Amino acid sequence: MNVKDLRKRVPYQIQRDVLDELSVDQHLIENDPNSILCFNGCNNIRCTGPRFKSCFLSFVPLLAWLPRYPFRENAIGDLISGISVGIMHLPQGMAYALLAAVPPVFGLYSSFYPILIYFIFGTSKHISVGTYAVMSVMIGSVTERLAPDSDFMIPGNDTNSTTLDIVGRDAERVKIAATVTFLSGIFQLLLGVVRFGFVVTYLSEPLVRAYTTAAAIHVIVSQLKYSFGINPQRYSGPLSLIYTVIEICALLGKTNIGTLVVSIVTILGLVAAKELSALAARKIPVPIPVELITIIVATVVSWQMDLKTEYGVEVVGEIPSGLQAPVAPAVSLLGSMVGDAFALAVVGYGIAISLGRIFALKYAYKVDSNQELIALGLSNSVGGLFNCFAISCSMSRSMVQVSTGGKSQVAGAISAVVILVILLKIGELFEELPKAVLAAIIYVNLQGMMKQFGDICSLWRTNKVDMVVWVMTMILTVLFNPDLGLAASIAFSILTVVFRTQLPKYSILGQVPGTDIYRPVEDYHQVKEIPGIMIFRSSATLYFANAEMYIDALYEKTGVDVAKLLSHKKKLEAKRLRKEKKAAKKAKKEAKKRAKEAAVKSVVSAFNQGEEPQFSDTDESGEEPELSHAEANGDVNKLSVKEPKDVATVEVGPDPDPDTTLPRAIILDLSPVNFLDTVGVKTLCNIYKDYGEAGVQVYLCGCQRGVIESMEKGDFFNEKVTKSILFSSVHDAVLYSQQGNSKEVQYILISHTHISEVS
């Protein structure tokens, strides 16, 4: 016999009185909430040296972990990881700058300043922050909406010709991108200061994955113009993606063959190189920088073959060396981009914290969600001052950082140094790089996001509601663009929660034989209902949206329609009143008749005795007796006297409907209810009142403290309804109702066998 079986057979005994809420309150002394609040408030505002140091170190985590940095263990891994990730930043930063509709060099700026800020204030050791495709395409939708090409058309020498002012357009778009990035950073800072990190809980995993998939579709469509060498019209607002695809299809006849060939060759080369790199990853500790090799080769080929002049292939163009001075954001533009900035703040934070928590769970450390908001907020707000666009973390770069031995934020700082070297010395060498190559790099890097379509099949098997959220998020984001699509997707996700609370599972509970365990009778064959007692439970909380359905389900499950029963009772009561009124009227007539007969009898008696009869003006009922014709004429011999009869009062009891068998008691298991609003309290009041009028006692069990407080504030309790109807468990309520409302009830559990006793 093993220990587990022995533990199961050890006899045990529990013996106590059945306790209602009043009895529990008598044994416990409740803490004064005002004193607790005052104590906590005073304790929180007290400033001590250790507390100030702890707050400061939590705000600047670098000062906490850098002095304890294990140089020998982590230095080599962080160095190799930082160089590898920095090399990845070069092609991705330039490519994602095209998504943001700004010159490629600003993608490199966005891969430098924000990384340094996050190195100081971030708490995740493994995520690689910087440019990200979804954030870039959201920035691009703002820049192209507020600075379209049509606003920068300059009349040419001919009457009907116009030229595009590319320099002016790019300068304006850079200003817009930096301003919206600065504003999104301010939003993240404010949310972090007010400890609003839990906002990410509204971004479920299916929603985030579907949103990134839909954003990837936007990214692919936005890059088609660079792959085909065409210039489609810019559309904004809902259905803009559909209009853009139609426009691209209409312009396919104007495709630049040289650009298309460059794009196809680059895509095929990247896919093949990545497959070879994956195979060689088992033998080579450092991943092959496929993207870097691709842009170097493409730049050399473009320069040698002069693709720009000979074949009309569009290239990156001028890449200035050095860093730029900070510039104040355009305050006049803030009002037109508030919604976009908030969407950027939420999406960027949601993606970063989701990935950060994955790595933190894997490597056993903690990521502070509120500090992450502050770190990303500072990265974006400071980066916005240096003409950067909004950043988040990249899954591909993070995986490379982890796989190459990165163990701390030092790897991110080293990657920023690599970008700095490129900006100062190497950046201008890539001016001949074709934009079609950058578009191809984006396509290949989006493979992982496209594979997320497989979530539909897996979610269909595991949770169909999450599958619906996934599909609707993708559809809404594709149709309404990333900004409006995010808001619509979150609203739909919250609606599914509301629908689940409106459509809970209602059950009648029965007892597992020999135990104090209660389970739904429809789920188990062994579970038996207790005669005369109905135990009702809902799987969701009780509030205004499902209060009416709660009552309907209670009537249906218990088989007692109280409204119909009370209506039947009122009809019986009216019938009883009518019969009583009729009986009273008949009794009145009989009383008159007896009075009249008594008067006649007295007259006859007087004549028989030779006395003068005495007549009274009224009978004993207070009214004049009505005499017959013989009485009026004094014909005494014709008078007859009838013996009075006893008159019984008719009483009709409220017999119930013969088709309805009323239980003795109904127990409402409120353990799933975590809050009650005013409608919920009134619903419980009505249930107690209606069943009480029908002669059925109602008990409540499993009420949480907040539910009881809501009932107290909602005037549920009064002189007739006290806390004696509340019980901590279903079993207490069952025992109490079984023993004729006797409080002196004990139950004993011996070796898993249930025995009810009355002490």
Side-chain angles (χ1 to χ4, degrees):
M1 182 183 298
N2 56 31
V3 178
K4 187 175 181 181
D5 293 336
L6 182 63
R7 187 180 302 157
K8 286 185 177 180
R9 298 190 181 187
V10 172
Y12 62 93
Q13 176 176 332
I14 301 175
Q15 182 174 355
R16 65 170 176 81
D17 294 337
V18 172
L19 299 176
D20 56 30
E21 193 65 27
L22 279 177
S23 303
V24 173
D25 288 346
Q26 292 173 359
H27 287 80
L28 300 176
I29 301 176
E30 185 178 2
N31 293 325
D32 184 8
N34 294 327
S35 62
I36 295 176
L37 183 63
C38 181
F39 174 78
N40 290 337
C42 295
N43 191 42
N44 289 334
I45 63 176
R46 184 180 299 140
C47 183
T48 61
R51 173 167 291 183
F52 176 79
K53 179 181 178 181
S54 175
C55 292
F56 183 75
L57 292 179
S58 64
F59 179 71
V60 189
L62 175 71
L63 300 179
W65 63 264
L66 189 59
R68 300 193 300 269
Y69 178 74
F71 188 84
R72 291 183 179 180
E73 292 82 0
N74 295 353
I76 300 298
D78 285 339
L79 177 63
I80 297 174
S81 176
I83 295 174
S84 303
V85 174
I87 292 172
M88 288 186 67
H89 271 296
L90 172 62
Q92 289 188 0
M94 298 176 68
Y96 294 156
L98 297 182
L99 297 179
V102 296
V105 68
F106 292 94
L108 300 180
Y109 295 151
S110 301
S111 300
F112 173 66
Y113 294 105
I115 295 177
L116 290 180
I117 300 298
Y118 186 84
F119 167 70
I120 298 172
F121 296 98
T123 59
S124 176
K125 300 178 181 179
H126 296 92
I127 65 172
S128 173
V129 297
T131 56
Y132 185 59
V134 175
M135 305 291 288
S136 300
V137 77
M138 293 176 70
I139 290 285
S141 65
V142 180
T143 55
E144 293 186 355
R145 185 185 77 240
L146 298 181
D149 290 342
S150 58
D151 292 350
F152 299 93
M153 303 304 294
I154 302 174
N157 297 328
D158 299 335
T159 305
N160 297 326
S161 64
T162 56
T163 57
L164 177 62
D165 183 9
I166 297 178
V167 176
R169 181 202 64 183
D170 289 347
E172 184 65 21
R173 288 182 175 179
V174 168
K175 184 191 300 183
I176 293 171
T179 302
V180 72
T181 298
F182 174 81
L183 185 57
S184 69
I186 295 299
F187 278 132
Q188 289 174 330
L189 275 175
L190 293 176
L191 293 176
V193 169
V194 300
R195 317 294 291 177
F196 208 65
F198 68 89
V199 70
V200 74
T201 58
Y202 293 102
L203 301 176
S204 64
E205 183 180 358
L207 187 148
V208 172
R209 290 176 67 87
Y211 181 80
T212 53
T213 303
I217 296 175
H218 280 276
V219 170
I220 292 173
V221 172
S222 68
Q223 295 304 293
L224 290 177
K225 61 181 180 181
Y226 297 113
S227 297
F228 291 98
I230 56 179
N231 190 21
Q233 182 181 350
R234 164 68 186 175
Y235 295 94
S236 61
L239 302 180
S240 61
L241 183 72
I242 308 299
Y243 296 142
T244 303
V245 172
I246 295 174
E247 178 77 9
I248 290 174
C249 292
L251 294 175
L252 288 179
K254 301 180 180 179
T255 300
N256 185 301
I257 303 300
T259 302
L260 182 61
V261 170
V262 170
S263 180
I264 294 175
V265 171
T266 305
I267 292 174
L268 294 177
L270 278 172
V271 171
K274 280 186 174 290
E275 292 297 327
L276 294 175
S277 177
L279 294 175
R282 302 173 183 176
K283 299 180 179 180
I284 303 177
V286 180
I288 301 174
V290 175
E291 289 91 349
L292 179 62
I293 296 173
T294 300
I295 64 172
I296 292 175
V297 172
T299 303
V300 172
V301 171
S302 175
W303 172 57
Q304 290 293 328
M305 299 182 64
D306 196 9
L307 296 180
K308 178 181 178 182
T309 305
E310 296 293 333
Y311 301 98
V313 176
E314 187 176 3
V315 297
V316 168
E318 182 181 0
I319 299 179
S321 299
L323 302 175
Q324 291 189 344
V327 179
V331 180
S332 59
L333 298 174
L334 295 178
S336 59
M337 55 181 62
V338 173
D340 303 289
F342 188 79
L344 283 166
V346 173
V347 173
Y349 171 66
I351 294 170
I353 194 64
S354 300
L355 195 57
R357 285 177 175 174
I358 292 174
F359 287 117
L361 183 63
K362 182 177 180 180
Y363 294 100
Y365 65 93
K366 185 179 179 181
V367 172
D368 188 342
S369 58
N370 291 298
Q371 181 61 29
E372 286 296 293
L373 263 175
I374 293 175
L376 291 173
L378 288 171
S379 298
N380 282 322
S381 57
V382 174
L385 298 177
F386 289 91
N387 290 329
C388 301
F389 52 85
I391 56 94
S392 185
C393 76
S394 168
M395 171 66 83
S396 60
R397 290 197 307 268
S398 299
M399 293 302 298
V400 169
Q401 180 168 322
V402 172
S403 63
T404 53
K407 297 181 180 180
S408 70
Q409 295 93 316
V410 172
I414 294 174
S415 67
V417 173
V418 173
I419 294 297
L420 178 62
V421 173
I422 294 173
L423 282 170
L424 295 178
K425 299 294 182 181
I426 308 176
E428 58 186 10
L429 300 178
F430 296 100
E431 293 181 353
E432 295 297 321
L433 175 66
K435 290 185 177 180
V437 174
L438 297 178
I441 292 174
I442 293 173
Y443 297 149
V444 176
N445 284 334
L446 293 178
Q447 287 184 90
M449 293 186 185
M450 292 295 101
K451 291 179 181 178
Q452 292 178 162
F453 276 104
D455 293 350
I456 298 177
C457 296
S458 60
L459 291 175
W460 174 262
R461 294 190 299 268
T462 57
N463 192 314
K464 292 181 175 58
V465 176
D466 284 344
M467 187 273 296
V468 173
V469 171
W470 198 102
V471 173
M472 288 303 300
T473 299
M474 189 195 68
I475 293 174
L476 292 172
T477 306
V478 167
L479 295 181
F480 295 154
N481 290 343
D483 46 1
L484 294 178
L486 176 65
S489 301
I490 293 176
F492 181 81
S493 179
I494 294 175
L495 278 179
T496 60
V497 178
V498 176
F499 291 149
R500 291 191 212 189
T501 60
Q502 284 188 300
L503 300 173
K505 181 180 180 182
Y506 299 103
S507 306
I508 293 295
L509 303 184
Q511 186 182 32
V512 178
T515 70
D516 59 348
I517 300 172
Y518 295 83
R519 292 290 184 268
V521 294
E522 63 268 20
D523 294 344
Y524 305 95
H525 295 294
Q526 296 86 354
V527 173
K528 303 298 180 183
E529 291 188 50
I530 300 175
I533 300 175
M534 305 293 291
I535 308 171
F536 179 78
R537 181 173 67 187
S538 169
S539 61
T541 192
L542 176 61
Y543 70 117
F544 70 92
N546 61 5
E548 185 175 352
M549 288 179 284
Y550 186 91
I551 295 178
D552 293 341
L554 178 62
Y555 291 168
E556 179 184 354
K557 291 289 185 179
T558 58
V560 180
D561 191 339
V562 177
K564 183 179 179 180
L565 189 64
L566 293 178
S567 176
H568 180 67
K569 182 178 178 181
K570 289 180 181 178
K571 290 180 180 179
L572 291 177
E573 183 70 16
K575 184 178 180 180
R576 184 183 67 81
L577 292 175
R578 287 196 302 270
K579 289 186 177 182
E580 287 184 353
K581 187 175 181 181
K582 186 177 180 180
K585 190 175 182 180
K586 185 176 181 180
K588 187 176 181 181
K589 283 185 178 182
E590 292 293 339
K592 288 182 180 180
K593 190 173 183 180
R594 288 197 304 270
K596 184 165 46 175
E597 291 175 351
V600 173
K601 187 175 182 181
S602 64
V603 172
V604 173
S605 177
F607 275 109
N608 291 336
Q609 297 177 6
E611 298 177 356
E612 185 71 21
Q614 301 292 327
F615 297 97
S616 61
D617 295 336
T618 60
D619 59 12
E620 61 185 48
S621 65
E623 298 181 0
E624 295 183 359
E626 297 180 0
L627 301 179
S628 63
H629 181 68
E631 295 169 340
N633 293 331
D635 192 352
V636 180
N637 296 324
K638 296 181 180 180
L639 295 175
S640 63
V641 179
K642 295 182 179 179
E643 294 297 329
K645 298 180 179 179
D646 294 333
V647 180
T649 302
V650 179
E651 295 183 358
V652 181
D655 297 331
D657 189 345
D659 297 331
T660 303
T661 302
L662 292 177
R664 182 170 66 254
I666 289 180
I667 299 173
L668 301 181
D669 182 7
L670 300 181
S671 54
V673 178
N674 53 12
F675 73 92
L676 274 181
D677 60 359
T678 54
V679 177
V681 174
K682 289 181 180 179
T683 300
L684 294 179
C685 289
N686 293 336
I687 291 174
Y688 186 86
K689 177 183 176 183
D690 292 345
Y691 275 102
E693 291 179 358
V696 180
Q697 184 62 43
V698 177
Y699 300 105
L700 311 179
C701 64
C703 298
Q704 301 181 28
R705 182 59 186 168
V707 172
I708 298 176
E709 291 176 353
S710 299
M711 295 168 70
E712 292 173 343
K713 296 176 182 178
D715 297 330
F716 178 84
F717 301 109
N718 50 48
E719 296 179 356
K720 296 182 179 179
V721 183
T722 64
K723 290 184 179 180
S724 60
I725 67 169
L726 302 183
F727 295 89
S728 59
S729 68
V730 175
H731 194 59
D732 281 356
V734 169
L735 291 177
Y736 179 60
S737 58
Q738 276 184 326
Q739 301 299 332
N741 297 355
S742 173
K743 294 293 182 66
E744 298 299 325
V745 180
Q746 296 178 337
Y747 68 84
I748 304 174
L749 297 178
I750 304 178
S751 299
H752 303 277
T753 302
H754 172 269
I755 305 173
S756 296
E757 293 185 351
V758 180
S759 60

